[in-house]
Each structure stands twice: as structure tokens, then as C-alpha cells.
Amino acid sequence: MLKRFKKKLETQAIASLIIVPMVFFVIAFLALACYLSLRETLSPPLSALVTAAAGIVVIAIVQVLARFSYRRSTLRRPPPQSPEPEQEFEKLLLEHADPVLAKWIGDNPDKAAITTLLLGVAAGYSEAVRRALLDMYMRYSEAEIQRRNASEGD
């Protein structure tokens, strides 16, 4: 899912890099054409003023339409029925968390955050800490599997 999101974001970024300058040049060409066509009937300063005023009116209309469409879409959109991916991930983590550790984290969120940060930095810089954490995790997961199998057998 993350790769698909990344690919979509990259595609949109490349398209935007091509489309935005093209839109700018098309609008500039349109304004120049409007100015040149008005110059035949009006004086040059007046035709520039009319062209600029027309541009301002177009910008104002686009702004008004954007605001109305945004309000309508937020009013009509029903609330999401499915839980957010973050909530599903948190639920999965809570199901697999050690109850004693989960209680300690709930009671001491600041200490838990600092401990997690320090362990992450240590694991990022030290191969020995990484191996020790992996070994602890493997032992814990084996013990947890045995505990769950024992509780299912009862």
C-alpha cells in the first residue's frame, strides 16, 4: 500500500511539474492575445487595463467556485465508516503487547517515549545493541507463542 501511495505521489509530482508551467504560459498567451485584440479598438493603456481587470475577475470567480465546492463536499461527505489505518495498526499492536508493558507505557508516556528514542538511537548506531534487542525480541516471541498455545489448550 505504501509503495502504491509513493508511486501515485511521484506521478502527481511529475505531472504537476509539467502542467503548472504550461498553464502559466497558456494564461500568459491568452492575456497577450486579449491585449492585442483590444488594442485595435482601445488605446494601449486602456486595453492593458481591461485585460488586467478581466484577469482579476477570472481569479475572483475561480476563488468563489473553489470555496463553494469545498463547502459542499465537506457537508455532503458522510463520516468514514471504516477505521483509520493508524487505528487498525494501534489495535494490532495492543493485541500483541505485553499487558504489564502496555500498562507501564500508559502510566508513563513520557518515560516510554524517551526510552524508545534512546533504544532506537542505540540500535541505529551499534550492532551489538541491535543483536541484543533482536535476541530479546526472539525470546519474548517464543515465550508468548508458548503461552498462547498453553492458554488455547486449556
PDB file of all heavy atoms in Angstrom, residues 107-129:
ATOM      1  N   ASP A 107       0.895   4.453  31.892  1.00  0.00           N
ATOM      2  CA  ASP A 107       1.129   5.237  33.106  1.00  0.00           C
ATOM      3  C   ASP A 107       2.266   6.238  32.947  1.00  0.00           C
ATOM      4  O   ASP A 107       2.287   7.279  33.608  1.00  0.00           O
ATOM      5  CB  ASP A 107       1.433   4.309  34.289  1.00  0.00           C
ATOM      6  CG  ASP A 107       0.239   3.455  34.672  1.00  0.00           C
ATOM      7  OD1 ASP A 107      -0.895   3.818  34.291  1.00  0.00           O
ATOM      8  OD2 ASP A 107       0.445   2.424  35.357  1.00  0.00           O
ATOM      9  N   ASN A 108       3.258   5.933  32.111  1.00  0.00           N
ATOM     10  CA  ASN A 108       4.447   6.772  31.956  1.00  0.00           C
ATOM     11  C   ASN A 108       4.744   7.050  30.477  1.00  0.00           C
ATOM     12  O   ASN A 108       5.754   6.591  29.954  1.00  0.00           O
ATOM     13  CB  ASN A 108       5.669   6.078  32.579  1.00  0.00           C
ATOM     14  CG  ASN A 108       5.435   5.684  34.007  1.00  0.00           C
ATOM     15  OD1 ASN A 108       5.215   6.529  34.853  1.00  0.00           O
ATOM     16  ND2 ASN A 108       5.480   4.384  34.277  1.00  0.00           N
ATOM     17  N   PRO A 109       3.899   7.798  29.793  1.00  0.00           N
ATOM     18  CA  PRO A 109       4.129   8.007  28.359  1.00  0.00           C
ATOM     19  C   PRO A 109       5.413   8.785  28.060  1.00  0.00           C
ATOM     20  O   PRO A 109       6.073   8.520  27.052  1.00  0.00           O
ATOM     21  CB  PRO A 109       2.895   8.779  27.899  1.00  0.00           C
ATOM     22  CG  PRO A 109       2.329   9.387  29.124  1.00  0.00           C
ATOM     23  CD  PRO A 109       2.705   8.482  30.254  1.00  0.00           C
ATOM     24  N   ASP A 110       5.778   9.723  28.925  1.00  0.00           N
ATOM     25  CA  ASP A 110       6.988  10.494  28.669  1.00  0.00           C
ATOM     26  C   ASP A 110       8.242   9.631  28.809  1.00  0.00           C
ATOM     27  O   ASP A 110       9.142   9.682  27.975  1.00  0.00           O
ATOM     28  CB  ASP A 110       7.065  11.708  29.592  1.00  0.00           C
ATOM     29  CG  ASP A 110       6.877  11.342  31.060  1.00  0.00           C
ATOM     30  OD1 ASP A 110       6.401  10.226  31.340  1.00  0.00           O
ATOM     31  OD2 ASP A 110       7.208  12.188  31.928  1.00  0.00           O
ATOM     32  N   LYS A 111       8.291   8.802  29.838  1.00  0.00           N
ATOM     33  CA  LYS A 111       9.441   7.907  30.013  1.00  0.00           C
ATOM     34  C   LYS A 111       9.490   6.869  28.901  1.00  0.00           C
ATOM     35  O   LYS A 111      10.570   6.499  28.437  1.00  0.00           O
ATOM     36  CB  LYS A 111       9.368   7.214  31.375  1.00  0.00           C
ATOM     37  CG  LYS A 111       9.586   8.153  32.544  1.00  0.00           C
ATOM     38  CD  LYS A 111       9.459   7.421  33.849  1.00  0.00           C
ATOM     39  CE  LYS A 111       9.577   8.383  35.025  1.00  0.00           C
ATOM     40  NZ  LYS A 111       9.373   7.702  36.301  1.00  0.00           N
ATOM     41  N   ALA A 112       8.331   6.389  28.470  1.00  0.00           N
ATOM     42  CA  ALA A 112       8.287   5.401  27.389  1.00  0.00           C
ATOM     43  C   ALA A 112       8.810   6.002  26.080  1.00  0.00           C
ATOM     44  O   ALA A 112       9.545   5.346  25.346  1.00  0.00           O
ATOM     45  CB  ALA A 112       6.861   4.887  27.208  1.00  0.00           C
ATOM     46  N   ALA A 113       8.436   7.245  25.807  1.00  0.00           N
ATOM     47  CA  ALA A 113       8.907   7.890  24.578  1.00  0.00           C
ATOM     48  C   ALA A 113      10.417   8.093  24.607  1.00  0.00           C
ATOM     49  O   ALA A 113      11.106   7.828  23.612  1.00  0.00           O
ATOM     50  CB  ALA A 113       8.193   9.228  24.384  1.00  0.00           C
ATOM     51  N   ILE A 114      10.940   8.535  25.746  1.00  0.00           N
ATOM     52  CA  ILE A 114      12.387   8.752  25.858  1.00  0.00           C
ATOM     53  C   ILE A 114      13.130   7.426  25.758  1.00  0.00           C
ATOM     54  O   ILE A 114      14.155   7.322  25.071  1.00  0.00           O
ATOM     55  CB  ILE A 114      12.713   9.488  27.177  1.00  0.00           C
ATOM     56  CG1 ILE A 114      12.186  10.915  27.097  1.00  0.00           C
ATOM     57  CG2 ILE A 114      14.211   9.493  27.451  1.00  0.00           C
ATOM     58  CD1 ILE A 114      12.250  11.677  28.395  1.00  0.00           C
ATOM     59  N   THR A 115      12.618   6.391  26.419  1.00  0.00           N
ATOM     60  CA  THR A 115      13.253   5.069  26.358  1.00  0.00           C
ATOM     61  C   THR A 115      13.266   4.541  24.932  1.00  0.00           C
ATOM     62  O   THR A 115      14.281   4.017  24.458  1.00  0.00           O
ATOM     63  CB  THR A 115      12.519   4.087  27.283  1.00  0.00           C
ATOM     64  OG1 THR A 115      12.491   4.625  28.610  1.00  0.00           O
ATOM     65  CG2 THR A 115      13.174   2.729  27.286  1.00  0.00           C
ATOM     66  N   THR A 116      12.147   4.672  24.239  1.00  0.00           N
ATOM     67  CA  THR A 116      12.058   4.212  22.858  1.00  0.00           C
ATOM     68  C   THR A 116      13.029   4.972  21.960  1.00  0.00           C
ATOM     69  O   THR A 116      13.712   4.378  21.114  1.00  0.00           O
ATOM     70  CB  THR A 116      10.625   4.384  22.328  1.00  0.00           C
ATOM     71  OG1 THR A 116       9.726   3.706  23.208  1.00  0.00           O
ATOM     72  CG2 THR A 116      10.475   3.829  20.938  1.00  0.00           C
ATOM     73  N   LEU A 117      13.115   6.277  22.158  1.00  0.00           N
ATOM     74  CA  LEU A 117      14.043   7.083  21.371  1.00  0.00           C
ATOM     75  C   LEU A 117      15.485   6.653  21.618  1.00  0.00           C
ATOM     76  O   LEU A 117      16.258   6.461  20.678  1.00  0.00           O
ATOM     77  CB  LEU A 117      13.871   8.563  21.706  1.00  0.00           C
ATOM     78  CG  LEU A 117      14.847   9.521  21.036  1.00  0.00           C
ATOM     79  CD1 LEU A 117      14.584   9.554  19.530  1.00  0.00           C
ATOM     80  CD2 LEU A 117      14.728  10.900  21.625  1.00  0.00           C
ATOM     81  N   LEU A 118      15.858   6.480  22.884  1.00  0.00           N
ATOM     82  CA  LEU A 118      17.226   6.080  23.208  1.00  0.00           C
ATOM     83  C   LEU A 118      17.554   4.691  22.667  1.00  0.00           C
ATOM     84  O   LEU A 118      18.644   4.464  22.132  1.00  0.00           O
ATOM     85  CB  LEU A 118      17.452   6.136  24.719  1.00  0.00           C
ATOM     86  CG  LEU A 118      17.457   7.538  25.335  1.00  0.00           C
ATOM     87  CD1 LEU A 118      17.584   7.456  26.847  1.00  0.00           C
ATOM     88  CD2 LEU A 118      18.551   8.383  24.736  1.00  0.00           C
ATOM     89  N   LEU A 119      16.602   3.752  22.782  1.00  0.00           N
ATOM     90  CA  LEU A 119      16.833   2.409  22.233  1.00  0.00           C
ATOM     91  C   LEU A 119      16.954   2.450  20.711  1.00  0.00           C
ATOM     92  O   LEU A 119      17.780   1.737  20.124  1.00  0.00           O
ATOM     93  CB  LEU A 119      15.709   1.459  22.644  1.00  0.00           C
ATOM     94  CG  LEU A 119      15.763   0.942  24.071  1.00  0.00           C
ATOM     95  CD1 LEU A 119      14.495   0.156  24.394  1.00  0.00           C
ATOM     96  CD2 LEU A 119      16.990   0.078  24.285  1.00  0.00           C
ATOM     97  N   GLY A 120      16.168   3.282  20.062  1.00  0.00           N
ATOM     98  CA  GLY A 120      16.251   3.407  18.610  1.00  0.00           C
ATOM     99  C   GLY A 120      17.578   3.988  18.160  1.00  0.00           C
ATOM    100  O   GLY A 120      18.187   3.506  17.204  1.00  0.00           O
ATOM    101  N   VAL A 121      18.049   5.015  18.864  1.00  0.00           N
ATOM    102  CA  VAL A 121      19.342   5.612  18.516  1.00  0.00           C
ATOM    103  C   VAL A 121      20.458   4.608  18.761  1.00  0.00           C
ATOM    104  O   VAL A 121      21.365   4.441  17.939  1.00  0.00           O
ATOM    105  CB  VAL A 121      19.564   6.917  19.315  1.00  0.00           C
ATOM    106  CG1 VAL A 121      20.988   7.409  19.183  1.00  0.00           C
ATOM    107  CG2 VAL A 121      18.591   7.988  18.844  1.00  0.00           C
ATOM    108  N   ALA A 122      20.397   3.921  19.913  1.00  0.00           N
ATOM    109  CA  ALA A 122      21.441   2.939  20.231  1.00  0.00           C
ATOM    110  C   ALA A 122      21.448   1.805  19.207  1.00  0.00           C
ATOM    111  O   ALA A 122      22.513   1.371  18.755  1.00  0.00           O
ATOM    112  CB  ALA A 122      21.230   2.388  21.642  1.00  0.00           C
ATOM    113  N   ALA A 123      20.270   1.328  18.820  1.00  0.00           N
ATOM    114  CA  ALA A 123      20.199   0.246  17.841  1.00  0.00           C
ATOM    115  C   ALA A 123      20.670   0.721  16.461  1.00  0.00           C
ATOM    116  O   ALA A 123      21.234  -0.055  15.694  1.00  0.00           O
ATOM    117  CB  ALA A 123      18.775  -0.292  17.747  1.00  0.00           C
ATOM    118  N   GLY A 124      20.446   1.997  16.163  1.00  0.00           N
ATOM    119  CA  GLY A 124      20.878   2.520  14.883  1.00  0.00           C
ATOM    120  C   GLY A 124      22.382   2.662  14.763  1.00  0.00           C
ATOM    121  O   GLY A 124      22.938   2.562  13.683  1.00  0.00           O
ATOM    122  N   TYR A 125      23.051   2.876  15.899  1.00  0.00           N
ATOM    123  CA  TYR A 125      24.494   3.107  15.867  1.00  0.00           C
ATOM    124  C   TYR A 125      25.337   1.907  16.283  1.00  0.00           C
ATOM    125  O   TYR A 125      26.522   1.869  16.020  1.00  0.00           O
ATOM    126  CB  TYR A 125      24.866   4.295  16.761  1.00  0.00           C
ATOM    127  CG  TYR A 125      24.537   5.612  16.140  1.00  0.00           C
ATOM    128  CD1 TYR A 125      23.472   6.372  16.588  1.00  0.00           C
ATOM    129  CD2 TYR A 125      25.282   6.102  15.079  1.00  0.00           C
ATOM    130  CE1 TYR A 125      23.162   7.585  16.008  1.00  0.00           C
ATOM    131  CE2 TYR A 125      24.984   7.315  14.489  1.00  0.00           C
ATOM    132  CZ  TYR A 125      23.920   8.062  14.959  1.00  0.00           C
ATOM    133  OH  TYR A 125      23.612   9.252  14.385  1.00  0.00           O
ATOM    134  N   SER A 126      24.718   0.927  16.947  1.00  0.00           N
ATOM    135  CA  SER A 126      25.518  -0.164  17.493  1.00  0.00           C
ATOM    136  C   SER A 126      24.971  -1.517  17.050  1.00  0.00           C
ATOM    137  O   SER A 126      23.804  -1.844  17.308  1.00  0.00           O
ATOM    138  CB  SER A 126      25.517  -0.082  19.023  1.00  0.00           C
ATOM    139  OG  SER A 126      26.112  -1.219  19.575  1.00  0.00           O
ATOM    140  N   GLU A 127      25.833  -2.295  16.437  1.00  0.00           N
ATOM    141  CA  GLU A 127      25.452  -3.646  16.006  1.00  0.00           C
ATOM    142  C   GLU A 127      25.203  -4.541  17.216  1.00  0.00           C
ATOM    143  O   GLU A 127      24.295  -5.380  17.204  1.00  0.00           O
ATOM    144  CB  GLU A 127      26.549  -4.227  15.113  1.00  0.00           C
ATOM    145  CG  GLU A 127      26.247  -5.608  14.575  1.00  0.00           C
ATOM    146  CD  GLU A 127      25.121  -5.614  13.567  1.00  0.00           C
ATOM    147  OE1 GLU A 127      24.955  -4.626  12.831  1.00  0.00           O
ATOM    148  OE2 GLU A 127      24.389  -6.626  13.514  1.00  0.00           O
ATOM    149  N   ALA A 128      25.971  -4.366  18.285  1.00  0.00           N
ATOM    150  CA  ALA A 128      25.808  -5.192  19.490  1.00  0.00           C
ATOM    151  C   ALA A 128      24.450  -4.942  20.138  1.00  0.00           C
ATOM    152  O   ALA A 128      23.763  -5.892  20.548  1.00  0.00           O
ATOM    153  CB  ALA A 128      26.939  -4.901  20.474  1.00  0.00           C
ATOM    154  N   VAL A 129      24.041  -3.677  20.228  1.00  0.00           N
ATOM    155  CA  VAL A 129      22.728  -3.358  20.809  1.00  0.00           C
ATOM    156  C   VAL A 129      21.631  -3.921  19.916  1.00  0.00           C
ATOM    157  O   VAL A 129      20.640  -4.472  20.404  1.00  0.00           O
ATOM    158  CB  VAL A 129      22.572  -1.834  20.990  1.00  0.00           C
ATOM    159  CG1 VAL A 129      21.159  -1.471  21.413  1.00  0.00           C
ATOM    160  CG2 VAL A 129      23.578  -1.304  21.998  1.00  0.00           C
TER     161      VAL A 129
END
